């Protein structure tokens, strides 16, 4: 393959392309009003992570004198320049969406943003009472003068910059006031349901905090810092302690962005730049409120008409009762594999019930699970504690370096240890990202194992908003593989030959490369086997070597259909390079998080191979993380996965396509669904109908996304 760097899309710009697709949902007038506010908050949160990790990394490279080029041929300085320009475009667009679309749409629904001056006397009295009872005791103004140095500003904290002076002295003095992070960003008045930003209420009460002084300028600001963990190899002697140290350091890492309103004076901006020791070009001015992520507080309002309709989730049959052995999880899995897709299939009645039943089953001897992200007050952690207290051997591999969840993971990992759970922290130098659990149960004089392998975290809240897939199985081959993988994670085990798992970093890279190559035309003289076809649904496609493998396959005429939610560094539809490659992205109500890999000739005897699991095609996933894909062998389950992929390729409401380097929104048909057409779509979905009407919108992010039987012949596309 040519070494021409133009065959790749820049990773950082592709990340911003994804955030732009999220922003488009906030801009879409068909999105309910509070959902539009939510997508603005998601856009803002994504940008926070981008600056804390990716932009911070570029600054680190520049400061260290690194001149290495990215795969697409750009230096760190060139990338930073392009990123800064694109971010400025996106943040300006977000501000316009907030001011011209989201605010008016919420006001039309009875939720009006208001400043203190716009409130009536009753509303001011109500909020003053809230200030006195809930806010005033939490505020600590910090003066800056020769006796009081400029305070440390913690990462992503919301602060007020205040200029004051005494009546008999015109000298202006600066003070910093941190807004309590425990309080909601927006307060709602009772009678007229007006939305008042926390900073507006506090600013109106500053006279209570600076008694005897005149209040001059008051403006909110926010600092973003380098927040990526930087653990040296030698620090791994005590990983728990090392992560705790790095989490504390993160709060005051090197600043990479200062957000201020466009009304802040140059005097205050200059002071903040000087005191924070900012590099040039790190100030972002905005016409919208600083930190649109604060709009998340509005989403807690109970206004059903302003949100997407509640999804009717399905319970997993046979997973609901542990009192009747004939209907238990274990009896169900002895009859065959079960595939679930969240949030369409209820997480509580499937994954949580799997662990819960194991914790109270007298025949269960051991439970092993990897925990990348979860919640300490949920069913899974409480079930593991109950099991350990009941004498079941419980092993929990806790990934301490799950980005931005480190503090939570440390806390509940200690709770598990105190309850007698064997807690381990993974393999030195590798982050454990795979999502696996195995339960060993005594049955008829032998031990039988039951497994769950998923694409998402063991987290009940994200399971309601992330689309993920999980396989439950009692297949002995899968169980043997999972046992081997846990032995690698908790002890010393190398060079395992897995049967049904594809594991990183052991051999996932080489096996996927081999599967891609296997789809290319067979040598002359061999038996024809049909057209090669590769389908991949994943979050990110970044790895240059595997992208080159895909280009090589495309050059041989292999059809390649990719569904990439986020970053895609491959350029599709380029003459002479990738003419047979299509790339689309679905960005909608649920975060498409599952990974599905399908190879037309990768299975036994040249048949189809379908695998699901935790891994994206990124260097970090393939080389620096423990990941696992599981090969699906049940034809009905393969049919269901094919149906999921087919639905995503039929979506003409939330879909985008990538052509060369540019993303395009798939046009939505003008014709609305007609009465009675839903039944026709259901028939189509189950393989009994002729297909959706071409002039009617079809969105994969609806309940029809949940397939129950194999789709019609020729699936997935």
């Amino acid at each position: 393959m040519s070494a021409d760097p133009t065959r790749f899309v820049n990773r950082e710009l592709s990340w911003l392309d994804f955030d732009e697709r999220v922003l488009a949902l906030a801009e879409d007038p068909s999105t309910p009003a509070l959902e539009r506010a939510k997508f603005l908050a998601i856009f803002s949160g994504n940008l926070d992570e981008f600056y804390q990790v990716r932009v911070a990394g570029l600054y680190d490279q520049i400061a260290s004198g690194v001149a290495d080029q990215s795969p697409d041929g750009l230096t760190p300085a060139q990338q930073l320049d392009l990123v800064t320009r694109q971010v400025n475009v996106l943040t300006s667009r977000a501000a316009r969406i907030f001011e011209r679309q989201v605010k008016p749409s919420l006001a039309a629904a009875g939720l009006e943003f208001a400043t203190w001056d716009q409130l009536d006397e009753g509303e001011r009295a109500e909020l003053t009472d809230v200030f006195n009872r809930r806010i005033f005791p939490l505020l600590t103004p910090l003066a800056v003068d020769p006796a009081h140095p400029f305070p440390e500003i913690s990462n992503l904290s919301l602060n007020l910059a205040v200029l004051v002076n005494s009546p008999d002295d015109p000298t202006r003095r600066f003070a910093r006031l941190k807004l309590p992070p425990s309080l909601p960003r927006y307060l709602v008045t009772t009678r007229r349901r007006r939305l008042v930003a926390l900073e507006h209420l506090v600013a109106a009460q500053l006279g209570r905090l600076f008694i005897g002084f005149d209040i001059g300028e008051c403006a909110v600001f926010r600092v973003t810092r380098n927040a990526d963990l930087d653990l040296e190899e030698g620090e791994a002697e005590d990983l728990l302690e090392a992560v705790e140290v790095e989490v504390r350091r993160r709060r005051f890492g090197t600043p990479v962005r200062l957000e201020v309103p466009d009304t802040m004076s140059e005097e205050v901006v200059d002071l903040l730049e000087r005191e924070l020791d900012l590099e040039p070009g790190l100030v972002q001015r905005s016409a919208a409120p600083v930190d649109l992520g604060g709009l998340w507080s509005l989403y807690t309002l109970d206004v059903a008409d302003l949100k997407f309709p509640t999804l009717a989730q399905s319970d997993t049959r046979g997973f609901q009762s542990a009192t009747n052995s004939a209907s238990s999880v274990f009896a169900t899995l002895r009859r065959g594999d079960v595939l679930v897709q969240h949030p369409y299939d209820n997480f509580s009645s499937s994954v949580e019930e799997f662990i819960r039943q194991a914790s109270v089953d007298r025949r269960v001897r051991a439970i092993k699970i990897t925990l990348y992200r979860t919640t300490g007050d949920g069913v899974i952690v409480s079930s593991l504690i109950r099991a350990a207290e009941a004498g079941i051997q419980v092993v929990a591999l806790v990934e301490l370096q799950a980005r931005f969840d480190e503090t939570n993971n440390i806390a509940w990992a200690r709770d598990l240890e105190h309850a007698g759970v064997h807690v381990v922290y993974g393999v030195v130098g590798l982050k454990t990202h795979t999502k696996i659990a195995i339960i060993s149960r005594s049955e008829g004089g032998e031990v039988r194992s039951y497994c769950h392998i998923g694409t998402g975290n063991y987290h009940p809240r994200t399971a309601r908003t992330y689309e993920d897939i999980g396989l439950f199985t009692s297949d002995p081959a899968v169980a043997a593989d999972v046992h081997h993988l846990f032995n690698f994670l908790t002890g010393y085990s190398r060079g395992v030959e897995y049967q049904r798992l594809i594991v990183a970093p052991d051999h996932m890279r080489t096996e996927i490369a081999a599967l891609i190559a296997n789809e290319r035309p067979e040598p002359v003289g061999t038996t024809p086997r049909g057209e090669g076809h590769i389908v991949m649904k994943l979050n990110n496609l970044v790895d240059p070597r595997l992208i080159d493998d895909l280009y090589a396959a495309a050059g041989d005429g292999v059809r390649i259909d990719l569904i990439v939610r986020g970053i895609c560094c491959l350029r599709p539809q380029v003459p002479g390079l990738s003419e047979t490659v299509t790339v689309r992205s679905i960005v909608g109500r649920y975060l498409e998080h599952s990974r599905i890999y399908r190879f037309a000739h990768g299975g036994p005897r040249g048949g189809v191979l379908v695998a699901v699991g935790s891994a994206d095609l990124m260097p970090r996933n393939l080389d620096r993380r423990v990941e696992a894909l599981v090969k699906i062998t049940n034809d009905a389950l393969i049919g269901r996965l094919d149906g999921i992929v087919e639905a995503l390729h039929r979506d003409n409401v939330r879909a985008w396509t990538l052509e060369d380097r540019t993303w395009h929104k798939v046009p939505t048909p003008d014709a609305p669904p007609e009465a009675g057409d839903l039944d026709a779509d259901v028939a189509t979905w189950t393989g009994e109908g002729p297909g959706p009407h071409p002039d009617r919108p079809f969105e994969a992010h609806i309940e029809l996304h949940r397939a129950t039987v194999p789709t019609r012949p020729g699936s997935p596309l």
Side-chain angles (χ1 to χ4, degrees), residues 196-211:
V196 180
L198 177 62
E199 59 265 31
H200 289 167
L201 172 57
V202 173
Q205 304 291 332
L206 286 178
R208 303 268 307 280
L209 296 162
F210 299 95
I211 296 174

Side-chain angles (χ1 to χ4, degrees), residues 287-553:
V290 170
D291 181 24
L292 289 172
L295 293 172
W296 266 115
S297 66
L298 300 182
Y299 200 72
T300 61
L301 296 174
D302 186 16
V303 190
D305 291 346
L306 303 185
K307 299 180 182 181
F308 288 125
T310 301
L311 174 71
Q313 295 182 311
S314 292
D315 288 330
T316 306
R317 290 182 186 175
F319 276 40
Q320 288 81 46
S321 174
T323 58
N324 181 352
S325 61
S327 61
S328 72
V329 150
F330 310 110
T332 299
L333 296 183
R334 285 194 296 272
R335 291 191 292 268
D337 295 351
V338 173
L339 189 78
V340 293
Q341 184 188 20
H342 311 301
Y344 312 101
D345 293 308
N346 192 302
F347 182 82
S348 176
S349 68
S350 55
V351 176
E352 289 184 330
E353 185 65 14
F354 180 62
I355 304 300
R356 191 197 69 79
Q357 286 194 28
S359 72
V360 297
D361 191 311
R362 289 178 296 176
R363 295 186 182 182
V364 169
R365 299 293 179 259
I367 303 172
K368 300 179 183 180
I369 189 169
T370 60
L371 297 173
Y372 188 74
R373 300 187 199 275
T374 191
T375 175
D377 57 357
V379 171
I380 289 179
V381 169
S382 63
S383 295
L384 296 176
I385 290 174
R386 182 190 306 115
E389 291 174 342
I392 297 172
Q393 178 182 296
V394 181
V395 176
L397 189 144
V398 179
E399 180 47 68
L400 294 180
Q401 298 180 73
R403 184 175 289 156
F404 304 124
D405 266 353
E406 297 91 347
T407 302
N408 290 333
N409 287 9
I410 289 169
W412 53 256
R414 286 187 166 136
D415 291 340
L416 289 172
E417 285 184 316
H418 293 156
V421 174
H422 299 297
V423 178
V424 293
Y425 300 116
V427 181
V428 174
L430 298 175
K431 184 181 288 189
T432 303
H433 189 247
T434 184
K435 284 76 174 165
I436 55 173
I438 187 165
I439 294 166
S440 298
R441 188 171 186 264
S442 179
E443 298 177 4
E446 61 181 31
V447 175
R448 182 162 186 167
S449 295
Y450 300 83
C451 304
H452 172 263
I453 301 170
T455 67
N457 300 303
Y458 291 105
H459 200 303
R461 286 194 291 273
T462 57
R464 291 193 290 269
T465 55
Y466 287 21
E467 178 276 334
D468 272 303
I469 289 167
L471 173 72
F472 294 93
T473 182
S474 63
D475 186 298
V478 176
D481 283 356
V482 174
H483 280 303
H484 282 307
L485 183 51
F486 269 105
N487 290 341
F488 164 69
L489 292 171
T490 64
Y492 297 105
S493 181
R494 297 290 187 273
V496 176
E497 293 292 334
Y498 295 98
Q499 301 175 69
R500 290 276 301 280
L501 294 187
I502 304 174
V503 175
D506 288 0
H507 62 278
M508 185 176 289
R509 173 184 290 282
T510 56
E511 186 157 347
I512 290 180
L515 287 166
I516 294 171
N518 190 56
E519 295 299 311
R520 300 169 69 178
E522 54 273 55
V524 176
T526 59
T527 303
R529 61 182 181 188
E531 180 186 27
H533 188 195
I534 298 169
V535 179
M536 295 181 181
K537 175 185 181 298
L538 60 168
N539 297 331
N540 301 298
L541 175 58
V542 174
D543 189 77
R545 289 156 59 185
L546 289 180
I547 290 175
D548 276 342
D549 289 339
L550 291 170
Y551 284 148

Side-chain angles (χ1 to χ4, degrees), residues 5 44 82 97 115 141 191 195 230 243 275 303 333 341 361 383 413 430 467 494 508 534 589 622 643:
S44 179
L82 292 171
I97 293 170
T115 63
R191 183 168 54 86
L195 308 173
D230 184 21
V243 170
E275 295 293 347
V303 190
L333 296 183
Q341 184 188 20
D361 191 311
S383 295
L430 298 175
E467 178 276 334
R494 297 290 187 273
M508 185 176 289
I534 298 169
R589 175 177 182 176
L622 298 167

Side-chain angles (χ1 to χ4, degrees), residues 154 326 522 569:
S154 57
E522 54 273 55
C569 296

Side-chain angles (χ1 to χ4, degrees), residues 29 31-37 101-113 188 191-195 298 301-307:
T31 304
L34 279 178
E35 302 288 351
R36 298 178 75 175
Q101 297 181 44
V102 172
K103 281 178 64 175
S105 66
L106 286 171
L111 293 171
E112 181 184 5
F113 287 88
V188 186
R191 183 168 54 86
R192 296 175 62 182
R193 294 179 68 79
R194 298 229 258 182
L195 308 173
L298 300 182
L301 296 174
D302 186 16
V303 190
D305 291 346
L306 303 185
K307 299 180 182 181

Side-chain angles (χ1 to χ4, degrees), residues 87-138:
V87 167
N88 289 338
V89 171
L90 293 179
T91 52
S92 296
R93 180 176 165 189
R96 289 195 302 272
I97 293 170
F98 176 76
E99 292 292 338
R100 301 178 187 178
Q101 297 181 44
V102 172
K103 281 178 64 175
S105 66
L106 286 171
L111 293 171
E112 181 184 5
F113 287 88
T115 63
W116 182 260
D117 293 339
Q118 294 168 331
L119 300 177
D120 62 32
E121 185 174 336
E123 290 169 326
R124 292 186 183 183
E126 177 188 350
L127 291 183
T128 298
D129 180 60
V130 171
F131 178 84
N132 291 337
R133 291 184 295 104
R134 296 175 50 198
I135 301 174
F136 180 77
L138 305 181

Side-chain angles (χ1 to χ4, degrees), residues 187-246:
L187 303 160
V188 186
T189 62
T190 303
R191 183 168 54 86
R192 296 175 62 182
R193 294 179 68 79
R194 298 229 258 182
L195 308 173
V196 180
L198 177 62
E199 59 265 31
H200 289 167
L201 172 57
V202 173
Q205 304 291 332
L206 286 178
R208 303 268 307 280
L209 296 162
F210 299 95
I211 296 174
F213 281 78
D214 295 329
I215 309 299
E217 183 174 352
C218 173
V220 71
F221 71 95
R222 184 171 180 254
V223 177
T224 308
R225 297 181 179 273
N226 184 334
D228 208 16
L229 292 187
D230 184 21
L231 293 177
E232 299 294 334
E233 188 77 14
E235 293 178 303
E237 282 186 23
D238 189 339
L239 184 59
L240 180 62
E241 181 179 338
V243 170
E244 287 181 307
V245 169
E246 284 297 305

